[in-house]
Amino acid sequence: MADAPKSARLTIGNDTYDLPIHSPTVGPDVLDIRKLYGQAGVFTYDPGFTSTASCDSTITFIDGNEGILLHRGYPIGQLAAKSHFLEVCYLLLYGELPSAPELEKFEHNITMHTMLHEQMQNFFRGFRRDAHPMAVMVGVVGAMSAFYHDSTDISDERQREIASHRLIAKMPTIAAWAYKYSIGQPFVYPRNDEDYASNFLRMCFAVPAEDYIVNPILSRAMDRIFTLHADHEQNASTSTVRLASSSGANPFACIAAGIACLWGPAHGGANQACLEMLKEIGTVDRIPEFIARAKDKDDPFRLMGFGHRVYKNFDPRATVMKQSADEVLELLGVENNPVLQVAKELEKAALEDPYFADKKLFPNVDFYSGIILEAMGFPTSMFTPIFAVSRTVGWISQWKEMIADPQNKIGRPRQLYLGETLRDYTDIENR
Ligand code: SDX
């Protein structure tokens, strides 16, 4: 981060303070307030961090007004069209697109880590069959801390590398086995002759009773969904992983924390909530009713899959996802899917409504993903686990960047205290 000559002058009462301004390679300048409390005895106040940069990073850039998303400088639209998920994983982890030998070595390393310790199957069997697969993933990923002791020392770069590969490689197996367990089918092992997305589809949908042939169209669509969800700057779950990691916790525990945060319907749980909402709407003629509810201040209902903290324009991932939804459903012969029709009409109605236009509420990545996933045969409960499989590389890339940062210290925000001032204990007989 090159220190710009600029600074901001803050006046509090009769005192003035100069706050350094740092300029990014692209995007807004930042005010450096690290010394503010020490100099002026005041905190800044920013619940939800709407105006706060928590770190510096070189991984992902988002321009919310222009609807731009870059991974290490490459636009998400180009990566979705020309790259594939494991190559994007390499790019996020190491900063550059790999050469052919580098990519082959990386994909081999990931493939060689896709199996789980056999004893970990016991964790799945400890859950009720109807447990949400996100609950299973939080539990099993956290339990990896108890199995892979040789990659929990975060001060050892080699152990960090092994933990990174293990997590990226094993998440599809964990998610697939959570699904298999929920439907009472046997676990399917990964195969070393299948690519990442095909392996995941096989582990989810193959049964011992017959051969399973991966549909290349579905495998390509699955890979593209993984690519579109891989990383997204300092979102809630990534910030959770960074904060958990700042205490020195092991990578498996930190990723389990990220999975827990992603589960919320305002974040990664929105894809499940969105499809459930589209099904509740059911038919195009009920769209006005739900638009009215979304605009009603007294109604907590929100259009799931709409709006974003950063994007005040189209989420570029939603644009790609919408194209993919059209392609996949047509290729599967379900282009007249009523849910897709409701989604398209709902999007049109919302974008034409001044409420959504004024508040800059556009479809986000979760608006169309559920439609594709359902057409591929996944239950809605598997939508957020699939998001978690993809986002693991983003969490890990940000985690590695933070640990390597010499400025890295434990994250410890302060508060605006509005509670009672000092008072003495009152014995119960006097209350
Ligand atoms: C993801 O951060 C990331 O990068 C996340 C993500 C990633 O890749 O990691 O992109 C993934 O989480 C995408 C977002 C998925 N969530 C949803 O689709 C849930 C529905 N969306 C909303 O809950 C909301 O838009 C958020 C949570 C996404 C963003 O909320 P903000 O930025 O805190 O904005 P806000 O809630 O203050 O809303 C601003 C205004 C409010 O009205 P006013 O109080 O100003 O009058 O817009 C309204 C809100 O009521 N509003 C909506 C709305 N979203 C916001 N009104 C109706 N429907 C909506 N969806």
Side-chain angles (χ1 to χ4, degrees), residues 58-246:
T58 61
I59 299 171
T60 291
F61 173 72
I62 301 171
D63 182 326
N65 293 323
E66 299 301 320
I68 291 171
L69 169 56
L70 307 178
H71 289 319
R72 304 288 190 178
Y74 296 99
I76 188 64
Q78 291 184 24
L79 293 173
K82 298 179 178 181
S83 185
H84 63 277
F85 181 62
L86 281 190
E87 184 176 75
V88 172
C89 287
Y90 186 100
L91 175 66
L92 290 169
L93 286 167
Y94 305 112
E96 296 295 338
L97 289 170
S99 64
E102 288 169 333
L103 180 58
E104 184 180 358
K105 179 170 182 280
F106 177 72
E107 292 186 334
H108 174 76
N109 284 342
I110 296 300
T111 301
M112 290 300 119
H113 282 88
T114 49
M115 288 179 67
L116 282 180
H117 188 295
E118 191 70 0
Q119 220 177 302
M120 290 195 77
Q121 291 192 15
N122 299 329
F123 286 111
F124 293 85
R125 296 195 172 98
F127 287 91
R128 285 175 41 152
R129 291 280 181 178
D130 59 355
H132 194 290
M134 284 298 277
V136 177
M137 290 187 75
V138 170
V140 174
V141 172
M144 288 173 77
S145 313
F147 273 83
Y148 299 108
H149 298 108
D150 61 342
S151 59
T152 52
D153 176 0
I154 64 170
S155 65
D156 178 334
E157 186 174 357
R158 181 61 190 139
Q159 290 197 34
R160 294 204 299 268
E161 186 80 352
I162 294 169
S164 303
H165 289 176
R166 277 178 166 148
L167 280 159
I168 292 166
K170 296 180 193 304
M171 285 296 271
T173 310
I174 293 168
W177 286 15
Y179 171 55
K180 283 303 201 186
Y181 181 72
S182 74
I183 57 175
Q185 289 186 358
F187 297 135
V188 175
Y189 289 88
R191 293 173 56 97
N192 293 347
D193 60 355
E194 293 272 16
D195 65 62
Y196 195 86
S198 301
N199 239 335
F200 178 64
L201 292 174
R202 169 185 301 283
M203 290 190 284
C204 287
F205 299 125
V207 289
E210 58 189 35
D211 290 341
Y212 177 78
I213 309 297
V214 177
N215 179 331
I217 296 148
L218 298 188
S219 176
R220 178 66 189 138
M222 189 77 258
D223 189 273
R224 186 179 295 153
I225 286 175
F226 285 147
T227 296
L228 291 172
H229 289 83
D231 188 53
H232 212 239
E233 199 213 65
Q234 305 311 318
N235 59 84
S237 54
T238 298
S239 298
T240 299
V241 171
R242 278 181 173 262
L243 194 56
S245 308
S246 72

Side-chain angles (χ1 to χ4, degrees), residues 293-431:
R293 284 187 57 195
K295 293 160 61 175
D296 179 355
K297 279 286 155 235
D298 298 324
D299 188 331
F301 172 77
R302 288 191 169 179
L303 283 188
M304 303 317 285
F306 252 78
H308 198 277
R309 169 60 57 76
V310 176
Y311 288 123
K312 304 309 173 188
N313 199 322
F314 261 88
D315 180 335
R317 302 167 298 176
T319 305
V320 178
M321 201 72 81
K322 182 176 180 179
Q323 293 160 2
S324 193
D326 284 334
E327 290 165 16
V328 170
L329 270 64
E330 184 180 351
L331 289 163
L332 291 175
V334 289
E335 63 272 25
N336 297 321
N337 178 315
V339 173
L340 180 62
Q341 300 317 316
V342 168
K344 289 186 171 181
E345 287 304 315
L346 175 62
E347 179 189 29
K348 183 171 177 288
L351 293 178
E352 289 169 355
D353 189 302
Y355 174 92
F356 297 91
D358 294 347
K359 293 180 185 296
K360 300 186 185 303
L361 301 174
F362 292 86
N364 59 49
V365 68
D366 296 304
F367 190 71
Y368 282 101
S369 55
I371 295 164
I372 302 174
L373 293 172
E374 182 180 68
M376 295 171 77
F378 291 104
T380 52
S381 60
M382 278 299 291
F383 292 3
T384 309
I386 288 166
F387 194 150
V389 167
S390 168
R391 187 51 58 87
T392 294
V393 65
W395 292 330
I396 285 291
S397 302
Q398 303 268 352
W399 167 74
K400 286 180 69 176
E401 180 178 70
M402 188 190 84
I403 289 175
D405 182 347
Q407 296 183 94
N408 178 29
K409 60 174 66 175
I410 191 166
R412 205 300 189 190
R414 303 302 303 272
Q415 63 180 8
L416 170 63
Y417 177 68
L418 299 175
E420 296 288 342
T421 53
L422 178 66
R423 55 180 173 167
D424 293 326
Y425 180 84
T426 309
D427 295 333
I428 194 163
E429 54 270 15
N430 299 323
R431 289 178 208 157

